[in-house]
Amino acid sequence: MPSFFLHQGFAGQQIRCNPWQPNQYIISSSQHFGVVGSGKVYIVEAPQGFAPGSLVRLVGCWGTSDGVFDSCFSEMDQNLVVCACGDGVKVFNVPQSANRDGVMPLIHNLEHQQEVSCVAWHSAKRDNFFSGSWDTTIKLYSAVNPQQSICTFVGHMKEVYEIATTARSPTSFLSCSGDASWKLWDTRTPQRPVLSQFGHQNQIVLSVDFNKVDPNVFATGGVDRTVRVWDARRPNQPLVSLPGHDQACRRVRFSPHSKTLLASGGYDMRVCVWDLNSPQRPMVARYQHHREFVLGVEWSAAVPNMLATTSFDGTCYFIPVGQQPTPSPPQQLPPAVPPPRKVVPRTKVLPGLPQPMPPLPMPGTAPRSPR
């Protein structure tokens, strides 16, 4: 199946579909697993149907002064992307940035006190987007003026790992954290969450995603190695717990084409596909094509049952569920030189998670915690 190789030395952190062009994806990456160094953003186009022997086309890439841990396209302007970076929230203009050396962002918001771990454009209220950080806070921004956040949501006790929105509610969003909880928020009452639950045996919750059909249902993935599915109307216990990973489950994603299909990726280097319509044998596929932690999992918005994955091994695969992933030849990539780096204080390494062994930081830089 088609695959794409990042620049040497860069680890894949996240992959998301482009809502304007469903065959396109934006890939976030960082040097040295995000511990220290710069980042790169890639926009690629997968072939229709992910046909065997076809190649992934690089639309453009650019370097950033610090690691990029998440990126998403604006829901209002197809030329804009927002990135979660080690040194803040950044907004880039794609035509002005792609394949240019040392490009600077249109906006560089420095409100978060530690590295920014995630961003999410609101899929219902499309003039808003969110960011989450290792400083434990979530911030809401107006797309009209992202230089300053609208409000800050304070409720988590440790780092925020992911934020999820639903197209079926303009006020609701979910978050998950190193404090072992998931939280459901209402933007009209930022002072406290609507719901809060310790969801994975009091272990870190690394990922959260809404069901695309039923906004009451959502999934989480955690360090306890399980995928859990919840109903917000009965939040005290999960609807189902899905064991299948041998290490922490880093990413969960519901299919946009099916109410019952979801995928997960983990630190065991595996990608699992689950069907909730089969409670006796819910795992319908499991892949081991990556050689390092799988941090990015995304369903194709254009083609049902197609998955895109990215990993710390610097590769991205585009897989029809049920077929064996095979790499396509590496491509010659243009240089993507980052702008000058501003060194900012970093958080400590998070205990209790399997960590890759990064190279020692270069003189004059400060280490950052692995994602």
Side-chain angles (χ1 to χ4, degrees):
M1 296 300 106
S3 65
F4 180 79
F5 295 79
L6 309 182
H7 285 85
Q8 186 174 2
F10 283 80
Q13 296 279 353
Q14 175 66 295
I15 185 167
R16 291 184 184 269
C17 195
N18 182 349
W20 301 91
Q21 299 186 53
N23 282 334
Q24 285 189 5
Y25 297 81
I26 186 166
I27 304 165
S28 309
S29 72
S30 58
Q31 279 185 309
H32 310 312
F33 310 109
V35 178
V36 69
S38 63
K40 292 189 192 297
V41 180
Y42 301 81
I43 298 175
V44 300
E45 186 169 289
Q48 185 69 33
F50 300 2
S54 54
L55 296 177
V56 177
R57 184 176 72 89
L58 177 66
V59 177
C61 69
W62 62 91
T64 60
S65 58
D66 211 316
V68 187
F69 305 115
D70 196 4
S71 305
C72 62
F73 274 88
S74 164
E75 295 274 357
M76 293 186 65
D77 187 338
Q78 61 183 328
N79 293 316
L80 298 181
V81 298
V82 59
C83 299
C85 300
D87 57 352
V89 176
K90 299 179 182 180
V91 179
F92 290 93
N93 181 288
V94 175
Q96 294 177 7
S97 303
N99 303 327
R100 297 189 179 183
D101 293 346
V103 65
M104 300 300 290
L106 295 176
I107 301 293
H108 186 180
N109 185 296
L110 293 166
E111 290 184 44
H112 282 296
Q113 299 303 301
Q114 295 180 22
E115 58 262 42
V116 184
S117 53
C118 58
V119 287
W121 209 278
H122 206 310
S123 49
K125 189 172 173 51
R126 298 186 175 185
D127 56 348
N128 287 167
F129 69 89
F130 299 91
S131 66
S133 170
W134 278 53
D135 66 7
T136 75
T137 68
I138 298 164
K139 292 183 181 290
L140 173 65
Y141 306 82
S142 167
V144 177
N145 181 24
Q147 295 186 8
Q148 184 174 359
S149 62
I150 299 172
C151 64
T152 301
F153 300 83
V154 179
H156 284 296
M157 302 302 293
K158 291 188 177 181
E159 62 280 354
V160 177
Y161 276 104
E162 190 161 42
I163 298 163
T165 69
T166 172
R168 296 176 180 270
S169 172
T171 59
S172 299
F173 72 95
L174 289 161
S175 63
C176 64
S177 167
D179 63 11
S181 75
W182 59 257
K183 297 184 187 296
L184 177 66
W185 302 83
D186 189 313
T187 55
R188 296 166 295 186
T189 56
Q191 300 84 5
R192 60 186 182 277
V194 176
L195 290 173
S196 183
Q197 184 64 258
F198 293 102
H200 286 260
Q201 302 180 35
N202 292 321
Q203 297 190 58
I204 294 168
V205 187
L206 293 166
S207 184
V208 64
D209 190 45
F210 273 106
N211 187 294
K212 306 303 187 291
V213 178
D214 186 345
N216 294 303
V217 176
F218 57 95
T220 57
V223 170
D224 67 347
R225 308 178 183 183
T226 67
V227 175
R228 297 194 171 195
V229 180
W230 304 82
D231 190 321
R233 295 163 295 189
R234 298 180 292 277
N236 292 332
Q237 294 292 331
L239 296 177
V240 63
S241 181
L242 304 171
H245 287 283
D246 292 337
Q247 295 292 339
C249 175
R250 183 62 180 89
R251 196 74 64 192
V252 291
R253 285 292 180 269
F254 267 105
S255 168
H257 304 285
S258 170
K259 182 179 180 179
T260 62
L261 204 62
L262 70 154
S264 60
Y267 289 159
D268 58 359
M269 312 177 203
R270 292 175 177 169
V271 175
C272 299
V273 181
W274 312 86
D275 189 344
L276 302 181
N277 269 341
S278 305
Q280 300 302 317
R281 300 187 66 179
M283 186 187 293
V284 296
R286 184 163 66 177
Y287 299 101
Q288 295 176 266
H289 52 289
H290 286 296
R291 304 186 312 277
E292 259 291 357
F293 298 171
V294 179
L295 272 70
V297 176
E298 180 79 327
W299 291 94
S300 168
V303 184
N305 298 328
M306 298 287 184
L307 272 178
T309 66
T310 191
S311 162
F312 270 3
D313 63 13
T315 64
C316 303
Y317 280 80
F318 300 86
I319 313 162
V321 173
Q323 298 187 29
Q324 184 62 33
T326 54
S328 51
Q331 302 177 37
Q332 184 69 34
L333 298 178
V337 179
R341 184 167 186 261
K342 296 180 180 179
V343 179
V344 295
R346 300 298 178 226
T347 55
K348 297 179 181 179
V349 172
L350 181 68
L353 292 180
Q355 306 290 351
M357 294 301 295
L360 292 175
M362 298 297 290
T365 64
R368 183 171 59 245
S369 48
R371 320 312 300 170

